[in-house]
Amino acid sequence: MASCESKSCADCEAVVTRICDSYGSCRGSLIPILHDIQREMGYISSDAMEIVAERLGVTSAQVHSTATFYTLFYTKPQGKNIVRLCDSPPCHIEGSRAVREAISKELGISEGETTEDMNFTFEVVSCMGLCGVAPAIMVNDDVYGNVTPESVAGILNKYREAK
Amino acid sequence: MAFYRAHVLVDTGTPAVLKGALAVKSALIEELKRRGLDKEIKVVETGDLGLHNAGCGVVIYPEGVTYANVTTDFVPLIVEEHLLKGRPVEKLLYKEDQPSVVTAAESPRCNEMRVILKNIGVIDPNSIDEYIAHGGYEGLVKALTTMTPDQVINEVKASQLKGRGGAGFPTGLKWEFTAKAAGSDKAIVCNADEGEPGNFKDRLILEGDPHQIIEGMVIAAYAVGANEGYIYIRGEYHQSVEHTEKALKAAREMGFLGKNILDTGLDFDISIFKGAGAYICGEETALLESLEGKRGESRMKPPFPPTYGLRGMPTVVNNVETFAAIPHILAKGAEWYCSIGTGQSKGTKIFSPCGDVLYPGVYEVPFGITLREIIYNMAGGIKSGKDLKAVLMGGPSGVMVGKDALDRKLCAEDLNPGAGALIVLDEDKCIVDLMQNIAQFFYHESCGQCTPCREGCKRMLEVFNWWTAGAGSEDDIALLEQLATTMSLTSKCGLGQFAGVAFKSSLPLFMDEYRAHLKDKVCPTGVCSMDKVLEEVK
Amino acid sequence: MAEVNVKINGQDIKAQSGQTILEVARAAGIYIPTLCYHSDLMPDGVCRICAVEVKGQRTLCTACCYPVSDGMEVQTHTPKVREARRMIVELMLANHPQECLTCAKNQKCELQKLAKELGIQDVRFKGERRVYDRDLTSPSVIRDPEKCILCGRCVRVCDDIQSVAALNPVNRGWNTLIVPGMCDDLADVVCVNCGQCINRCPTGALKGNDPAPAIWEAIHDPKKHVIVQTAPAVRASIGEEFGLPPGTRVTGKMVTALKMLGFDRVMDTDFTADLTIMEEGSELIQRITEGGALPQLTSCSPGWIKFIEYYFPDLLPNVSSCKSPQQMFGALAKTYYAQKMGIDPADIVSVSIMPCTAKKFECERPEMTSSGYKDVDYVLTTREAAGMMKEAGIDLPNLPDSEYDDPFGVTTGAAVIFGNTGGVMEAALRTAYELVTGQKLDEVNIQAVRGMEGVREASVQVGDITVKAAVAHGLANARKVLEGIRDGRFKDYHFIEIMCCPGGCIGGGGQPQPTSEEIRKARIKAIYEEDETMKIRKSHENPAVLKLYEEFLEKPLSHKSHELLHTHYTARDRKTARKTADKPVKVKVEKS
């Protein structure tokens, strides 16, 4: 559980307050608010959760309880680029295991880990609805299908140069 | 509206974009401009054509010719030969023995019947005008201006439409319960949380023809008396969200959403709600919990959503494909719908064969088609050329069938297709390895509320981990079977109830393979590394 | 509610539509095992133990939440059902520490009971077991997450009944865990220490912070003078720990047992309850006649005090400045009593036996050192006191009665009813009426403030004043009242009694398990019966209290009274709760 690290607390408060202002104050707004915070700040800090809780009339623990349920929400800073490999049955039988090994080798980390330079986080996730081009990976919002161990380096390099 | 003598539709569905579709589109626009043809020929983006192994597809109207594997290099050739001189480029044409958007009627081997998918690859999903030009919103207008809500419900009941998300509950009955439920505030929710591995039909519909959903939901709102609507789209489906948002905006501008729709007094609007990465939110009550800003934990049933749904309101929760069928039923009539399909499964169903098939994709067919027809005639058969070993019907929560089921019919009376995924395995795949992978999926996705699912999914995974590492014993089979039975009888929702179904159904088909792993400590296909020592093995 | 006909195990039963299978079965005396179900809480249907066969249903249905319908046929113990239940319990046991023999819940654990009932002799799943550290940070509640079976009862009681929601589930699936705050230690979150969670926990995952070892040491230390005070509620409940039915009064036996344990003096918190009425009653009269924050709110419930400090600090001026009877006792024990007995207060170890776990927090509050020492050293819950008795081989039910020791042993019926919701109010009214009007109160039992509804109101004519009073128990109800003060609804009320726990102290977090409305009603009835048997029924008639004023305190609200018997409160910021740890403060005081 991390409190605001990358931005100053005043920044965090300004961003989260602005986001909360654009939604209603009922609990139904919680997940859309968390999406927006996640997108703007890279993760949802405990300080952010306190502000959201106050606005929605719930406890920060309840915000945290909800946030930790969903895999797209992070409560700790992640790498700049999140690499998600699908290992559900259609991708699995089409060779996701070999792609997983290639990604691990290329990045030097195992699944669930982040590179030291904080550029990549590698996750193995459930089906992303790209079964027609299995095996598939997503890097942030970008989708890659029919991935082979050989094509991994080329895909990841785009995000190295972009840094 | 400007008059164009030809339309060039570029497939910009997600898979095609991966193959450079956007570059092709830009190149086409550039080339047409260069040739001074941009005022007569329009280039348009269209939804996923479903040609997943054919790269970027381009369809040219009015001829209806489809090009496959188009790259920017070929653009000048297509423009020169086809658009200027009127001569289609043979070598780029989509092959005849593959299902094609435009040659569906002509191909003798293809039984596709595109009702819900009829616009995909034909219209620009971001254009409400094109949707309307192709018969869109006809059903809505007919329902709202010539029928009473009760008549609408009766029409849907008469069509015998059943839910397309996998559970197959009669839609008309669901709407009737909701309409009759006490309470003046009601809601319509579209379940677009498509998380079942092997299913990607809803993504295609939302990317390629989202207005169908909107139309279906407004009809539902009219029928039951609802004012609030939500489309719960899984967070990973960015393009679906984008296209649906545009469609909602356009529908509002046209007066199909908002206050006093078509002067009927119906106030109804729809918001998009993005999921946050939880397969369980595809279960209707977990979805409702998520909409309410809570953990996606399924509720006790009864009560069911038609009586107690979103924030306690009577709520209709239907799958994308179900809502998409509604406008067609209203426009063409229940009798027409009943003429398609079988006795207990009316209408068309969208299937998504994937895995070891040559042409993974979505195919819409009448119920009653055989497994063989879809896998071999449409999806091109096994891509490796080897034998088919097994098919997982509907996804990992579905039943496994073997080769002997190929001639069974896909319908409620025979082989229940679930949500439509058909994960096909060839003889090189290991069933035990697949079971381990399925168990991993459920272990990751269980919400954790109820004991049998939370603990059971973990124990199932552990056992499969041992089996694939050469550490199992035959006695485990009976234990795992009993566990699967307990989970199916006592789990709080469908996730736990169906987590062990694939395993149980695979036992009579592949007992030899299990025995090989457990007794002989051998993996016949060589997929499992039987000598791996796992830390968890006691 | 329409009448429906159902059949359970072949037996025809008439039921009401809207009832669950479990409710109907229990009313008909048919047993269905349960685990996550608790009669105080909304059913959640997560353990799945109460699964039964319902004819025509594809899956088994959980009796705790499945509604009956006309013609329903239910079987509760078929082979299919029994096999499923066994497997579910095996799954629980596979992820549970196998340390029953040394667990605080040994022989009282509901999981243990179920395993025995189902005849489980082997756990066939031999995989990973989740491992977590225990949380020992709170003075009141100890958490042992490895023993948690995720029934969710603690979450439901803390959220629905106490409206605090200190405990919540985090993560998903196998990694689900119930934690305080955002995975914090319990001492670092907004928790009022009420222990209602402990009372509902079926296993040893939650238990009280038991000081018995330190107390044994003090008792056996010849240099220490160990005194014990007993709360009103304990005498009507401790018998349950020895198998006596709820509502059995064991006052005299309890005193005997405590003497046998080796306490140097066994005295009664009821004494200072009478004292509280004198002080608080005088305070109320002063506020009414001379002006002061009204309505006055009672202050003897430390869980409630912590609650208002966190959630309604703006209303702290309304709270009576009186300490709780426990703390008044503690302050007097190391001053008045020490002087009277000629004992060095540094050698006095002051122990209390309470139905309450928040009292453990209360005695650690920095303000509770008016004597110059820690006024109350240790708090034992009813359960823990019974534990000490059992360890000493004391067979409470068969003991002869004994009397309390002086000087804090003479008490009244008004004091004993402090244990019930409405009791403090009634005791205060009995005294206020006579002191203000100068007339005798004929009907001592003030029925208007008795009962179980969450918020009760009464108007009592006291001379010229129509005293508007209200009573609330359970913090969700307290919250309603406080919001009512803020928004004006209760603004013109004079006196409001608030108890943290449902039923009042008899429903406290330190009380015997199980708890239910039925059990709490039985205890409440016993307390009122005890009141009826007392010679003196009104606090201002307690001769020992009058003597205390005469000899030591002078009069209610005197300077000395203020010094020893009154306190102040601390507004607490919910947001910074995580950063300013509410850990027990080690009190080191100079002798004044």
Side-chain angles (χ1 to χ4, degrees):
Chain A
M1 243 329 320
S3 34
C4 274
E5 288 174 12
S6 46
K7 293 187 187 250
S8 75
C9 267
D11 280 349
C12 168
E13 200 177 323
V15 169
V16 176
T17 306
R18 182 198 4 107
I19 290 171
C20 290
D21 283 342
S22 59
Y23 288 96
S25 59
C26 65
R27 181 137 186 197
S29 303
L30 177 57
I31 289 170
I33 288 173
L34 293 179
H35 267 302
D36 284 359
I37 295 174
Q38 175 70 49
R39 197 186 51 241
E40 278 204 49
M41 310 203 59
Y43 72 108
I44 305 163
S45 66
S46 55
D47 291 333
M49 291 192 209
E50 299 270 9
I51 300 171
V52 175
E54 181 96 7
R55 296 296 295 265
L56 300 185
V58 295
T59 66
S60 54
Q62 286 168 328
V63 173
H64 179 256
S65 171
T66 303
T68 56
F69 183 85
Y70 296 97
T71 56
L72 291 184
F73 293 147
Y74 302 97
T75 56
K76 286 204 258 287
Q78 300 294 300
K80 188 153 168 271
N81 301 289
I82 303 187
V83 181
R84 296 188 174 99
L85 166 73
C86 173
D87 192 31
S88 287
C91 284
H92 181 79
I93 60 179
E94 294 312 300
S96 63
R97 198 186 342 229
V99 174
R100 175 200 233 144
E101 279 157 18
I103 294 175
S104 266
K105 189 157 168 232
E106 184 64 29
L107 295 178
I109 53 176
S110 302
E111 65 188 83
E113 293 179 350
T114 301
T115 54
E116 243 181 78
D117 61 3
M118 295 293 285
N119 198 24
F120 290 104
T121 294
F122 175 34
E123 290 183 343
V124 174
V125 300
S126 298
C127 180
M128 300 185 283
L130 298 162
C131 324
V133 289
I137 69 171
M138 279 181 85
V139 184
N140 308 326
D141 293 350
D142 303 329
V143 175
Y144 298 92
N146 298 127
V147 179
T148 61
E150 296 75 33
S151 63
V152 161
I155 293 170
L156 296 177
N157 279 338
K158 286 190 212 162
Y159 300 90
R160 286 194 172 115
E161 282 145 24
K163 196 186 165 195
Chain B
M1 210 158 129
F3 176 74
Y4 292 97
R5 69 164 171 87
H7 281 79
V8 180
L9 275 64
V10 183
D11 172 356
T12 51
T14 304
V17 166
L18 310 181
K19 297 270 165 67
L22 293 174
V24 167
K25 178 188 159 203
S26 303
L28 278 164
I29 293 173
E30 278 284 315
E31 185 65 15
L32 287 170
K33 219 180 189 149
R34 196 175 75 79
R35 296 298 205 118
L37 292 168
D38 54 313
K39 297 275 188 293
E40 326 166 15
I41 299 175
K42 185 162 186 199
V43 177
V44 179
E45 283 183 25
T46 188
D48 193 327
L49 292 175
L51 314 173
H52 286 162
N53 271 354
C56 172
V58 174
V59 185
I60 299 189
Y61 285 108
E63 303 90 320
V65 162
T66 308
Y67 291 108
N69 292 311
V70 179
T71 62
T72 50
D73 295 338
F74 290 118
V75 163
L77 188 64
I78 293 174
V79 171
E80 170 86 30
E81 288 296 314
H82 186 141
L83 294 168
L84 257 179
K85 298 176 184 167
R87 295 194 300 238
V89 182
E90 281 297 322
K91 65 176 178 186
L92 289 175
L93 279 180
Y94 197 42
K95 299 288 181 297
E96 266 176 20
D97 60 0
Q98 294 165 19
S100 157
V101 172
V102 290
T103 60
E106 292 141 32
S107 167
R109 280 172 246 144
C110 181
N111 281 328
E112 227 189 328
M113 180 187 277
R114 291 173 88 97
V115 172
I116 289 169
L117 300 182
K118 76 168 169 62
N119 286 341
I120 296 178
V122 177
I123 67 163
D124 175 358
N126 294 319
S127 166
I128 193 173
D129 293 333
E130 291 191 26
Y131 179 70
I132 292 171
H134 280 80
Y137 287 111
E138 242 179 62
L140 175 65
V141 170
K142 183 169 166 200
L144 265 61
T145 62
T146 70
M147 299 166 80
T148 64
D150 275 346
Q151 283 171 330
V152 172
I153 291 178
N154 286 334
E155 190 74 3
V156 177
K157 278 174 82 175
S159 74
Q160 296 180 55
L161 171 69
K162 288 183 182 167
R164 294 290 191 257
F169 191 85
T171 309
L173 206 56
K174 184 182 275 194
W175 288 19
E176 189 172 51
F177 287 147
T178 313
K180 290 200 170 123
S184 54
D185 292 327
K186 299 185 186 177
I188 307 291
V189 173
C190 174
N191 185 346
D193 191 55
E194 188 171 59
E196 187 76 40
N199 285 292
F200 41 99
K201 61 182 175 70
D202 295 340
R203 179 173 58 71
L204 250 76
I205 298 171
L206 288 167
E207 284 178 7
D209 194 7
H211 280 285
Q212 279 182 112
I213 312 309
I214 298 171
E215 193 179 343
M217 288 176 75
V218 181
I219 293 170
Y222 177 70
V224 310
N227 304 111
E228 251 180 277
Y230 296 91
I231 305 178
Y232 188 108
I233 306 182
R234 55 179 300 186
E236 298 90 335
Y237 279 7
H238 301 288
Q239 201 170 355
S240 300
V241 169
E242 208 182 286
H243 287 196
T244 308
E245 249 160 18
K246 287 194 179 127
L248 286 171
K249 186 159 176 282
R252 275 182 211 115
E253 282 164 6
M254 277 279 187
F256 293 126
L257 277 178
K259 298 238 179 281
N260 195 17
I261 298 172
L262 299 181
D263 271 325
T264 57
L266 173 66
D267 295 338
F268 178 68
D269 209 334
I270 299 173
S271 314
I272 293 178
F273 185 98
K274 282 190 344 210
Y279 161 80
I280 182 60
C281 289
E283 195 279 330
E284 60 182 358
T285 61
L287 188 156
L288 294 173
E289 288 287 294
S290 190
L291 266 176
E292 291 180 17
K294 302 182 210 154
R295 295 161 64 86
E297 293 172 339
S298 52
R299 299 175 179 171
M300 316 178 299
K301 295 199 277 198
F304 294 89
T307 338
Y308 185 96
L310 181 65
R311 283 178 256 117
M313 295 185 279
T315 306
V316 164
V317 183
N318 273 135
N319 178 258
V320 168
E321 195 185 341
T322 314
F323 276 123
I326 295 293
H328 305 281
I329 290 171
L330 267 298
K332 301 205 203 82
E335 211 179 292
W336 158 78
Y337 200 72
C338 284
S339 69
I340 307 164
T342 67
Q344 287 181 36
S345 294
K346 298 294 183 192
T348 58
K349 176 80 191 85
I350 302 176
F351 289 95
S352 48
C354 58
D356 289 332
V357 290
L358 189 55
Y359 305 120
V362 294
Y363 303 91
E364 187 174 1
V365 290
F367 274 110
I369 199 173
T370 65
L371 202 48
R372 186 188 297 280
E373 280 176 274
I374 295 207
I375 293 175
Y376 285 95
N377 296 1
M378 296 181 156
I382 307 294
K383 73 175 168 200
S384 61
K386 299 208 171 167
D387 244 357
L388 180 144
K389 184 168 184 175
V391 181
L392 211 41
M393 307 286 307
S397 62
V399 154
M400 177 171 272
V401 298
K403 270 202 309 239
D404 54 341
L406 277 171
D407 293 305
R408 288 178 68 181
K409 297 189 157 77
L410 290 161
C411 56
E413 299 97 308
D414 197 351
L415 199 52
N416 193 331
L422 299 167
I423 304 177
V424 178
L425 281 76
D426 71 13
E427 56 184 279
D428 284 343
K429 300 299 183 294
C430 175
I431 298 297
V432 186
D433 174 67
L434 177 67
M435 291 301 144
Q436 191 267 355
N437 184 250
I438 291 174
Q440 174 75 40
F441 173 76
F442 287 117
Y443 163 81
H444 188 253
E445 297 297 338
S446 166
C447 78
Q449 268 195 98
C450 77
T451 310
C453 177
R454 178 187 68 244
E455 307 290 331
C457 285
K458 169 69 175 179
R459 299 304 170 202
M460 282 193 85
L461 177 60
E462 272 178 347
V463 171
F464 286 124
N465 281 343
W466 295 334
W467 289 7
T468 53
S473 103
E474 274 184 283
D475 298 334
D476 295 339
I477 296 181
L479 176 63
L480 217 53
E481 234 187 326
Q482 201 189 340
L483 175 59
T485 303
T486 302
M487 287 169 72
S488 73
L489 287 175
T490 62
S491 295
K492 193 169 176 182
C493 81
L495 190 155
Q497 287 164 14
F498 294 108
V501 163
F503 169 67
K504 277 181 85 172
S505 53
S506 73
L507 278 176
L509 299 171
F510 299 105
M511 187 54 88
D512 289 341
E513 198 164 333
Y514 283 111
R515 287 219 178 90
H517 281 77
L518 301 173
K519 194 158 156 231
D520 310 325
K521 310 293 183 196
V522 160
C523 173
T525 58
V527 170
C528 304
S529 47
M530 301 291 279
D531 57 350
K532 204 164 75 157
V533 175
L534 294 174
E535 281 162 46
E536 307 101 74
V537 175
K538 288 206 171 155
Chain C
M1 287 289 139
E3 198 182 71
V4 297
N5 296 304
V6 305
K7 214 184 246 223
I8 303 182
N9 296 342
Q11 189 183 328
D12 287 307
I13 302 173
K14 290 219 184 293
Q16 299 291 319
S17 77
Q19 282 187 297
T20 61
I21 295 176
L22 184 66
E23 283 167 342
V24 174
R26 282 191 173 176
I30 297 171
Y31 171 68
I32 299 175
T34 60
L35 202 45
C36 72
Y37 173 80
H38 193 288
S39 58
D40 287 338
L41 308 167
M42 289 295 290
D44 213 8
V46 296
C47 71
R48 318 305 286 175
I49 292 289
C50 65
V52 294
E53 269 196 63
V54 174
K55 190 166 176 198
Q57 291 299 316
R58 174 177 65 89
T59 61
L60 298 179
C61 305
T62 45
C64 66
C65 29
Y66 205 84
V68 294
S69 54
D70 200 34
M72 181 179 274
E73 287 181 40
V74 179
Q75 293 286 341
T76 65
H77 281 78
T78 60
K80 196 196 248 182
V81 166
R82 292 197 324 262
E83 230 173 71
R85 279 190 198 139
R86 290 170 64 102
M87 185 149 264
I88 293 171
V89 174
E90 273 183 73
L91 286 169
M92 286 182 187
L93 294 176
N95 196 10
H96 202 84
Q98 303 294 311
E99 46 182 69
C100 294
L101 296 181
T102 51
C103 177
K105 275 303 241 303
N106 189 13
Q107 295 184 34
K108 295 222 86 181
C109 170
E110 291 181 51
L111 177 62
Q112 195 182 38
K113 174 171 170 275
L114 201 50
K116 174 100 179 129
E117 182 184 304
L118 296 170
I120 292 175
Q121 310 220 317
D122 182 27
V123 177
R124 290 170 288 172
F125 301 102
K126 315 226 186 268
E128 191 186 331
R129 191 164 60 73
R130 289 182 310 178
V131 172
Y132 296 107
D133 288 330
R134 288 186 305 159
D135 177 356
L136 307 170
T137 58
S138 164
S140 305
V141 180
I142 291 186
R143 291 174 50 239
D144 194 347
E146 286 180 19
K147 295 181 182 167
C148 176
I149 55 168
L150 294 168
C151 68
R153 283 185 188 172
C154 56
V155 176
R156 280 178 277 155
V157 76
C158 194
D159 194 0
D160 299 339
I161 295 191
Q162 299 300 70
S163 74
V164 172
L167 296 167
N168 290 277
V170 292
N171 304 330
R172 183 170 91 194
W174 167 263
N175 297 311
T176 307
L177 191 59
I178 293 179
V179 298
M182 298 197 236
C183 293
D184 300 300
D185 288 332
L186 193 53
D188 294 337
V189 305
V190 177
C191 161
V192 300
N193 304 69
C194 69
Q196 288 301 304
C197 53
I198 301 176
N199 261 356
R200 306 294 179 303
C201 183
T203 67
L206 292 168
K207 62 176 188 176
N209 200 338
D210 190 353
I215 298 172
W216 280 126
E217 206 182 298
I219 287 177
H220 297 310
D221 184 346
K223 289 202 299 292
K224 297 290 178 194
H225 182 83
V226 190
I227 60 175
V228 67
Q229 51 167 311
T230 60
V234 182
R235 69 209 64 201
S237 336
I238 196 167
E240 289 166 47
E241 290 290 305
F242 294 88
L244 296 173
T248 311
R249 290 152 44 212
V250 291
T251 317
K253 296 179 200 295
M254 174 181 66
V255 176
T256 307
L258 292 170
K259 290 187 178 180
M260 287 168 74
L261 277 179
F263 286 105
D264 294 303
R265 283 269 152 150
V266 179
M267 296 188 277
D268 201 346
T269 316
D270 287 18
F271 174 84
T272 35
D274 282 326
L275 189 62
T276 302
I277 291 300
M278 299 300 291
E279 294 291 322
E280 197 160 340
S282 305
E283 187 187 8
L284 176 65
I285 292 167
Q286 190 177 72
R287 286 194 197 186
I288 291 175
T289 55
E290 293 173 31
L294 288 176
Q296 179 168 305
L297 307 170
T298 58
S299 56
C300 42
S301 170
W304 140 243
I305 292 298
K306 203 174 177 196
F307 178 83
I308 190 177
E309 287 177 327
Y310 268 126
Y311 291 98
F312 297 87
D314 52 309
L315 296 178
L316 282 174
N318 290 62
V319 182
S320 159
S321 59
C322 290
K323 288 182 183 175
S324 68
Q326 167 181 281
Q327 294 303 136
M328 285 193 185
F329 187 107
L332 289 172
K334 296 190 182 183
T335 52
Y336 175 72
Y337 173 77
Q339 282 167 30
K340 219 171 156 68
M341 302 292 290
I343 302 173
D344 184 354
D347 293 330
I348 294 180
V349 176
S350 172
V351 178
S352 72
I353 301 180
M354 293 283 142
C356 175
T357 50
K359 291 284 175 195
K360 295 177 195 273
F361 163 76
E362 187 184 40
C363 74
E364 304 279 349
R365 289 181 71 124
E367 313 85 73
M368 302 303 177
T369 54
S370 325
S371 64
Y373 302 87
K374 191 175 168 200
D375 293 341
V376 174
D377 294 293
Y378 304 107
V379 176
L380 280 166
T381 62
T382 311
R383 297 186 297 256
E384 291 158 1
M388 287 183 76
M389 292 172 191
K390 286 179 185 172
E391 193 184 330
I394 295 172
D395 179 21
L396 181 106
N398 294 311
L399 292 177
D401 290 342
S402 296
E403 295 293 321
Y404 281 103
D405 294 324
D406 285 329
F408 301 149
V410 177
T411 65
T412 72
V416 83
I417 62 176
F418 264 56
N420 292 350
T421 167
V424 177
M425 175 64 68
E426 189 172 336
L429 288 172
R430 286 182 191 176
T431 290
Y433 182 86
E434 292 198 357
L435 288 187
V436 170
T437 65
Q439 289 166 11
K440 210 144 174 58
L441 184 61
D442 293 322
E443 179 45 70
V444 181
N445 297 332
I446 306 176
Q447 296 292 344
V449 297
R450 299 187 180 190
M452 292 298 273
E453 299 98 68
V455 180
R456 307 189 293 284
E457 299 172 47
S459 291
V460 180
Q461 200 62 35
V462 177
D464 295 330
I465 314 166
T466 312
V467 173
K468 290 184 78 174
V471 173
H473 57 126
L475 293 174
N477 292 317
R479 190 183 284 274
K480 282 189 206 144
V481 169
L482 292 169
E483 277 161 4
I485 298 175
R486 270 188 186 156
D487 68 30
R489 157 117 168 70
F490 285 104
K491 237 180 145 35
D492 61 343
Y493 278 58
H494 298 96
F495 195 34
I496 300 182
E497 177 209 285
I498 301 195
M499 290 297 156
C500 175
C501 299
C505 305
I506 50 88
Q511 287 286 71
Q513 276 178 281
T515 183
S516 71
E517 181 138 315
E518 209 181 298
I519 289 171
R520 294 190 292 273
K521 277 185 178 157
R523 294 173 188 162
I524 285 175
K525 186 160 173 279
I527 293 286
Y528 285 128
E529 275 167 10
E530 183 98 345
D531 170 29
E532 298 272 348
T533 68
M534 303 290 284
K535 280 204 290 281
I536 311 168
R537 310 280 305 279
K538 301 160 210 161
S539 301
H540 58 281
E541 289 176 2
N542 184 332
V545 166
L546 296 172
K547 190 163 173 207
L548 174 66
Y549 277 114
E550 196 190 321
E551 286 181 5
F552 189 66
L553 294 171
E554 195 196 332
K555 58 180 167 93
L557 306 181
S558 69
H559 177 76
K560 194 125 199 161
S561 296
H562 267 112
E563 206 180 87
L564 293 175
L565 310 178
H566 290 253
T567 184
H568 61 272
Y569 306 106
T570 317
R572 296 173 195 265
D573 182 355
R574 294 197 305 281
K575 276 203 289 272
T576 59
R578 301 182 62 241
K579 287 150 192 157
T580 56
D582 231 356
K583 293 187 170 33
V585 176
K586 278 255 171 291
V587 178
K588 211 164 94 165
V589 202
E590 303 297 296
K591 197 170 161 186
S592 56

